[in-house]
Amino acid sequence: MSQQPAEYPTRRPTDESYLDADRFDPPTSLLNLPWVDCHNHAHTLSWEDRERYSLSGCAAMVMVASGYHWTPYKPVAAEDVQFLWDDVINRKRAIERDHLFDANLALGVHTGVRIEDPDTLLDRMAEYSRLDDVVAIGETGITPAQHAESWALDEQRAVVGSQMELAADEDLPVILHTPNVGTDSGPEYRSGIGLPGYESNTSLVQEPVLTGENPALESVKIDVEVAADAGLPEDRIVASHADTNNVEYLLEETDCHVSFTVGYPWLTGIDATDVANTIEEYGPDRVMMDTDCANILKTDVFSVKRSILELYRQGIDEDTIRQVVLENPRDVFGLD
Ligand SMILES: [Zn+2]
């Protein structure tokens, strides 16, 4: 028979008088700071995920329908992309009614997979872009390698350029999809498993159409060139998925805005520290954040909210955080 000790040592050796003398006194107003998610695909998430946006203070978002939130396993026709536009348009009001945030829309044609008849789509896009709910064109942008079917660079330029011309004509900003370099720190998986956390079918990734030393950066430079040809001012571009590979070019050599996608650091390596470093180096005037949450990818709805707290911990003041998560996206996308 085992013998029980007569007494348990329950007095914990903690004592407030031994805490560090420096008192951290964070402003509790950060808890209620409204924020804007300027790039997500919330219409593809669960109801509960959308509720989490509300509960964490997301006052407005830009729900993007263009196809990057999608990894088709086959070539794509114009109707397939138009379905994505119609789907988000038809659900927007019901989503807002349930969750209270303003759900604004961005519609676009992406180049991550070749589209069989892009001109049909681009012709129809003008009418769609004039809908009140549409606040941006995109996401779009040159892609170094496609999924399912390759798309030649000159054809991609034409598709991106037409959308930028339309944006200039309609005075809308463009959400630019910039390719991430990503991290190589992940584990090695068994073959056939793909990349856990991302529904992409890795065997369908095509040979790259950009083969230089830094195709991810080269893509962005071509986008900026295409914008100039299309008559779209650089300050009407929000370069999403900003990272350490492109942020210096974008903020030093262009007038583009940058948006850091903080929703899946396991894939991109990008988190609040990159945002803090960028604000410290270049100031907050052209910096934003987004979650890019979508149902094909392991993404975190709370990532912008967490980053708000983390930016403060890393020394960014409250007014600057407010500018980055609320005022900048409100002004660029013309939100109320
Ligand atoms: Zn996206």
Side-chain angles (χ1 to χ4, degrees):
M1 251 173 78
S2 70
Q3 189 145 11
Q4 296 297 321
E7 205 180 296
Y8 293 96
T10 56
R11 284 190 302 165
R12 300 181 67 201
T14 55
D15 187 331
E16 209 214 15
S17 58
Y18 286 86
L19 279 175
D20 292 343
D22 278 358
R23 222 190 152 94
F24 175 57
D25 198 14
T28 52
S29 48
L30 280 175
L31 300 174
N32 299 318
L33 175 62
W35 52 279
V36 175
D37 190 5
C38 66
H39 175 169
N40 71 32
H41 310 273
H43 56 298
T44 70
L45 303 174
S46 69
W47 193 97
E48 286 80 0
D49 280 332
R50 286 189 289 274
E51 186 190 38
R52 289 179 185 105
Y53 277 108
S54 294
L55 296 175
S56 57
C58 177
M61 59 174 62
V62 182
M63 296 195 300
V64 178
S66 81
Y68 268 117
H69 58 294
W70 194 46
T71 54
Y73 303 145
K74 60 184 183 63
V76 168
E79 283 64 35
D80 297 326
V81 178
Q82 198 177 346
F83 164 78
L84 300 177
W85 298 347
D86 292 337
D87 179 52
V88 78
I89 289 167
N90 289 327
R91 293 176 53 219
K92 173 203 140 93
R93 282 182 53 213
I95 288 173
E96 286 178 321
R97 186 182 60 198
D98 270 12
H99 301 292
L100 276 68
F101 50 68
D102 281 327
N104 306 278
L105 309 182
L107 307 182
V109 182
H110 80 113
T111 55
V113 59
R114 195 176 85 83
I115 295 162
E116 277 156 8
D117 36 7
D119 291 341
T120 325
L121 205 50
L122 293 166
D123 289 346
R124 289 175 191 165
M125 210 173 158
E127 205 178 312
Y128 278 88
S129 71
R130 287 180 209 121
L131 297 172
D132 283 347
D133 298 333
V134 173
V135 299
I137 299 293
E139 59 192 297
T140 189
I142 300 293
T143 311
Q146 278 66 46
H147 201 69
E149 197 177 0
S150 184
W151 214 351
L153 192 57
D154 54 336
E155 288 172 20
Q156 287 194 56
R157 285 181 82 120
V159 168
V160 173
S162 303
Q163 294 177 80
M164 287 176 164
E165 272 171 32
L166 178 62
D169 289 348
E170 300 296 332
D171 193 23
L172 290 170
V174 166
I175 297 177
L176 193 68
H177 170 100
T178 73
N180 273 129
V181 178
T183 59
D184 343 291
S185 57
E188 292 223 1
Y189 290 108
R190 293 166 189 270
S191 71
I193 258 181
L195 183 60
Y198 191 12
E199 272 181 36
S200 173
N201 208 346
T202 44
S203 66
L204 289 176
V205 175
Q206 304 296 298
E207 284 299 312
V209 295
L210 274 176
T211 52
E213 227 166 67
N214 190 343
L217 183 57
E218 213 185 312
S219 302
V220 183
K221 290 183 174 176
I222 297 172
D223 291 325
V224 170
E225 236 174 72
V226 172
D229 293 343
L232 180 73
E234 288 172 358
D235 64 4
R236 298 302 277 159
I237 295 175
V238 177
S240 193
H241 322 314
D243 67 8
T244 48
N245 184 47
N246 61 28
V247 76
E248 185 184 333
Y249 165 72
L250 285 163
L251 291 181
E252 280 186 7
E253 295 179 41
T254 79
D255 293 327
C256 299
H257 303 264
V258 298
S259 183
F260 287 90
T261 299
V262 292
Y264 39 99
W266 64 271
L267 183 65
T268 60
I270 296 301
D271 61 21
T273 303
D274 300 285
V275 185
N277 292 342
T278 301
I279 292 170
E280 270 157 16
E281 182 140 10
Y282 302 100
D285 291 353
R286 291 191 283 142
V287 179
M288 308 180 202
M289 281 192 279
D290 63 73
T291 67
D292 195 17
C293 283
N295 67 352
I296 54 152
L297 194 65
K298 189 168 67 180
T299 47
D300 179 10
V301 166
F302 291 141
S303 54
V304 167
K305 180 70 207 194
R306 286 202 178 92
S307 297
I308 287 172
L309 307 183
E310 186 60 16
L311 287 178
Y312 188 81
R313 288 186 195 107
Q314 294 193 22
I316 308 297
D317 67 53
E318 195 182 355
D319 287 345
T320 303
I321 296 172
R322 168 182 285 270
Q323 183 185 350
V324 166
V325 300
L326 183 65
E327 292 158 9
N328 288 348
R330 184 195 61 197
D331 295 348
V332 173
F333 293 98
L335 312 178
D336 298 332

